[in-house]
Amino acid sequence: MEQLEQLLSECFDKNESFVEGKNSAFIKAVNSPELRDRCKSVPMRLLAEYFNLILRANNATARKAEASSTDPEMAITAEIRRVLRLYKLSKSRDMFLNQYELHLARRLLNEQSVSLELERTVVTMISTTESMEITTKLKDMLTDIDTSHDMSRSFSQKIIEDRSVSVSDVYIKVLKESSWPSVIMAERAEWDSPPAQLAEICEKFTGAYNERHSAYDKGHSGRDTAKRRLRWMWEYSKCSIQFFFPHSTGRIARTGYTFVLNTYQLAILMLFTESAGLGSGYDSPTGPRFTLEQIRLSTKIDELYIKAELAIFYKARILIPVT
């Protein structure tokens, strides 16, 4: 598109008839059934996938910009502006927005965005084309993340001062269900047996959350505090822990290993720690042993999830399967 515009400018002095013809041709091309059949997908979905690629952390556009000593965010913003011109010509923008909303939600939950500031810039660009009602949910998701940062910082400081939990930092995202894609909310699985250490943090945060909002609701008539309820999305939770193996030697015996785990992995590994109590086999020559059924009964995690997580542990040689 840029090359054509340069040609029209340099050779035809931006003749209105030629410019109009160029625009009509692009509109026809972007919305043609032939293009959809050849791509085996709706072009706007492909465009949303491309947006997701360039807005994810450590993407190719950012790496190329860094290699050329260019500001990565400026390079990505320029690329998005270029691609949005195609978006504005499409008659299927609702498909793009549905996919973009889902990708944005997952980038925010998994902390995979290049930056929150860049995400806000993109939403602002989209809002110049779409109505406020359509982009409100996108803005609300970003607002939830900002609010969660402030709330988590305050909560982390509180538990550090109390010294009641052996955790150095806690970041909990509080999401308004109405602002996030229903597909994301539907992925939430019920699990009432998280590890004791994690359950304690959840209980303390719930108390702090209710205390904060009960005070807020009292000052705003018409708000019902009872309607506020936290439900935990364990699928999107993760943690960083320091793990020591019983018979390690040298530097590792002092520093241990740092693992980044999801919540289910944490629950499984906690069974193999000294805090699991007598009979866990933590200090035995062969190490602690558990059967699949014992892990399932202890963690209350679905067997399919357990098998998937154990396969990861086996590959990393954190746990060793025996027959």
Side-chain angles (χ1 to χ4, degrees):
M1 184 179 284
E2 290 82 359
Q3 292 175 333
L4 279 176
E5 288 179 346
Q6 184 178 357
L7 179 66
L8 289 173
S9 176
E10 293 178 357
C11 301
F12 299 99
D13 197 27
K14 293 185 179 179
N15 181 277
E16 290 185 8
S17 297
F18 283 178
V19 171
E20 186 178 338
K22 182 264 297 180
N23 290 338
S24 298
F26 269 102
I27 291 173
K28 184 177 180 180
V30 169
N31 296 287
S32 69
E34 291 82 5
L35 178 62
R36 181 182 60 200
D37 294 340
R38 191 167 63 183
C39 296
K40 298 182 180 179
S41 181
V42 178
M44 285 299 101
R45 287 183 182 170
L46 296 176
L47 198 65
E49 292 289 345
Y50 181 63
F51 263 60
N52 187 45
L53 283 175
I54 62 178
L55 287 170
R56 286 168 67 99
N58 197 32
N59 64 77
T61 303
R63 291 198 300 271
K64 189 185 298 183
E66 288 174 352
S68 61
S69 301
T70 306
D71 183 359
E73 291 195 22
M74 287 182 63
I76 294 171
T77 302
E79 178 68 4
I80 287 171
R81 282 203 179 94
R82 187 179 71 83
V83 177
L84 274 176
R85 299 176 68 184
L86 289 177
Y87 163 76
K88 293 176 181 178
L89 299 176
S90 175
K91 296 177 182 177
S92 306
R93 294 204 295 264
D94 57 329
M95 291 186 179
F96 170 88
L97 289 170
N98 289 338
Q99 288 294 114
Y100 176 79
E101 180 187 35
L102 185 58
H103 287 316
L104 172 63
R106 287 190 169 137
R107 284 197 303 273
L108 294 177
L109 290 178
N110 294 319
E111 300 175 21
Q112 293 176 333
S113 292
V114 173
S115 75
L116 288 178
E117 194 57 42
L118 185 58
E119 296 285 7
R120 291 190 195 93
T121 300
V122 175
V123 171
T124 301
M125 290 180 185
I126 294 174
S127 65
T128 60
T129 304
E130 305 299 337
S131 65
M132 183 179 295
E133 181 181 356
I134 291 176
T135 56
T136 294
K137 286 183 70 175
L138 303 179
K139 293 177 180 177
D140 285 347
M141 284 194 285
L142 291 167
T143 300
D144 282 351
I145 297 300
D146 285 335
T147 304
S148 297
H149 272 298
D150 295 337
M151 197 181 305
S152 295
R153 193 180 302 116
S154 173
F155 178 68
S156 292
Q157 186 62 36
K158 182 178 179 180
I159 62 173
I160 289 173
E161 291 173 355
D162 291 348
R163 298 181 180 179
S164 55
V165 181
S166 58
V167 175
S168 58
D169 191 24
V170 177
Y171 176 34
I172 299 174
K173 302 179 183 74
V174 181
L175 318 177
K176 288 183 294 186
E177 192 164 3
S178 59
S179 301
W180 293 73
S182 57
V183 174
I184 296 290
M185 294 296 113
E187 291 174 350
R188 181 179 56 236
E190 297 298 329
W191 185 39
D192 56 3
S193 299
Q197 296 89 334
L198 186 59
E200 184 180 3
I201 293 173
C202 293
E203 184 180 346
K204 287 181 178 295
F205 183 83
T206 300
Y209 176 84
N210 291 337
E211 181 181 346
R212 169 175 174 159
H213 285 285
S214 62
Y216 175 82
D217 292 337
K218 287 177 182 178
H220 294 75
S221 58
R223 291 184 178 269
D224 186 0
T225 305
K227 289 183 178 180
R228 297 184 185 272
R229 187 163 70 93
L230 293 178
R231 289 184 289 182
W232 299 92
M233 298 178 65
W234 302 112
E235 291 78 2
Y236 288 96
S237 301
K238 60 184 179 181
C239 66
S240 176
I241 67 168
Q242 199 170 17
F243 205 87
F244 296 87
F245 289 96
H247 305 292
S248 298
T249 58
R251 183 178 61 85
I252 292 301
R254 298 189 303 274
T255 61
Y257 294 86
T258 299
F259 296 153
V260 178
L261 309 169
N262 64 39
T263 318
Y264 296 149
Q265 291 170 341
L266 174 66
I268 294 170
L269 274 192
M270 291 303 291
L271 296 177
F272 293 84
T273 64
E274 190 173 17
S275 59
L278 295 175
S280 67
Y282 179 80
D283 291 319
S284 69
T286 56
R289 295 188 180 195
F290 291 93
T291 65
L292 178 64
E293 181 64 11
Q294 287 173 326
I295 294 175
R296 187 186 67 79
L297 291 174
S298 298
T299 63
K300 305 296 191 297
I301 301 174
D302 186 276
E303 188 171 316
L304 289 176
Y305 284 111
I306 295 175
K307 288 181 177 179
E309 306 304 351
L310 287 177
I312 295 172
F313 288 144
Y314 296 159
K315 187 175 181 179
R317 296 188 62 79
I318 295 172
L319 299 178
I320 300 175
V322 293
T323 56

